[in-house]
Amino acid sequence: MGAKMHETIDDLIDAVMEREGGYVDHPADRGGPTRWGITEAVARTHGWRGSMRQFPRDEAVAIYRRLYWYRPGLEAVAARAPRLAAELFDTGVNMGPPVAAGFLQRALNALNRGATDYPDLTLDGRIGPATLAAIDAFLATRRAVGEAVLLKAIDGLQGERYIALAERRPANEAFLYGWLAQRIGEPA
């Protein structure tokens, strides 16, 4: 994602909404109509009853903040590693917060040198005290470059998942280039 360390949750939400655009109803998208990147199902779950064409921006902002930042605990990650929190937010928006947290946990487990730096994590897709302690231990051991290494690992897992989605469902090939292009800051 290339997030800058000074980005706030407001900046991250603005970037997602700019990338996602307004109303979209792509025939190959199983998620159906979206506006600001929020699916109709998510909007309905959060009380929206109107047409997705009129789904308000402020409602989308509130959903991004609540579901994709605070609920998964990314403010605690941001206090330790802001670029990592930004990446997890972006990944969570695209794949769901449990998937993003799972990528983080897998990367931390693979990078703990056989559990000598910190214990292996249970892959539960939740950022709780054990995951935060592992981030702390990893960053203390690996210093400044550690965050960049975690970002690279998460990007690799995300890219593999996008390709697997396209392989399993050929209609997803319509989205693959855009999914991967956003990883390097290119327009889809």
Side-chain angles (χ1 to χ4, degrees):
M1 173 172 174
K4 296 173 188 77
M5 292 187 60
H6 66 277
E7 283 183 316
T8 66
I9 182 55
D10 295 322
D11 296 328
L12 297 171
I13 291 170
D14 286 346
V16 165
M17 293 175 75
E18 182 179 317
R19 189 169 57 245
E20 293 290 341
Y23 179 78
V24 177
D25 190 8
H26 194 288
D29 188 347
R30 286 183 172 170
T34 65
R35 181 162 165 108
W36 310 115
I38 301 294
T39 65
E40 185 172 28
V42 169
R44 299 280 182 251
T45 298
H46 290 86
W48 178 251
R49 298 292 169 244
S51 164
M52 285 305 289
R53 290 182 189 278
Q54 279 74 50
F55 183 62
R57 187 180 197 287
D58 63 329
E59 290 285 326
V61 168
I63 288 171
Y64 280 124
R65 186 179 308 280
R66 186 173 52 250
L67 292 186
Y68 300 98
W69 186 258
Y70 288 112
R71 185 177 289 169
L74 295 183
E75 73 280 4
V77 176
R80 294 159 166 81
R83 293 180 304 146
L84 178 61
E87 179 63 29
L88 293 170
F89 173 77
D90 185 63
T91 303
V93 165
N94 288 306
M95 299 181 169
V99 173
F103 287 170
L104 171 63
Q105 291 169 333
R106 287 177 61 198
L108 286 166
N109 282 352
L111 292 165
N112 71 1
R113 295 188 283 191
T116 60
D117 292 338
Y118 48 87
D120 277 336
L121 297 165
T122 300
L123 301 178
D124 62 5
R126 294 178 35 229
I127 298 171
T131 301
L132 294 172
I135 292 169
D136 290 341
F138 178 79
L139 294 175
T141 302
R142 299 301 186 166
R143 311 243 185 260
V145 81
E147 186 175 11
V149 169
L150 278 175
L151 291 171
K152 187 170 189 164
I154 291 167
D155 274 345
L157 290 166
Q158 190 172 12
E160 190 284 326
R161 185 173 172 110
Y162 283 140
I163 289 171
L165 288 170
E167 289 172 338
R168 282 195 304 268
R169 183 174 176 260
N172 284 337
E173 289 182 15
F175 309 112
L176 182 59
Y177 183 86
W179 291 338
L180 295 172
Q182 80 179 22
R183 309 303 323 139
I184 56 173
E186 288 295 316

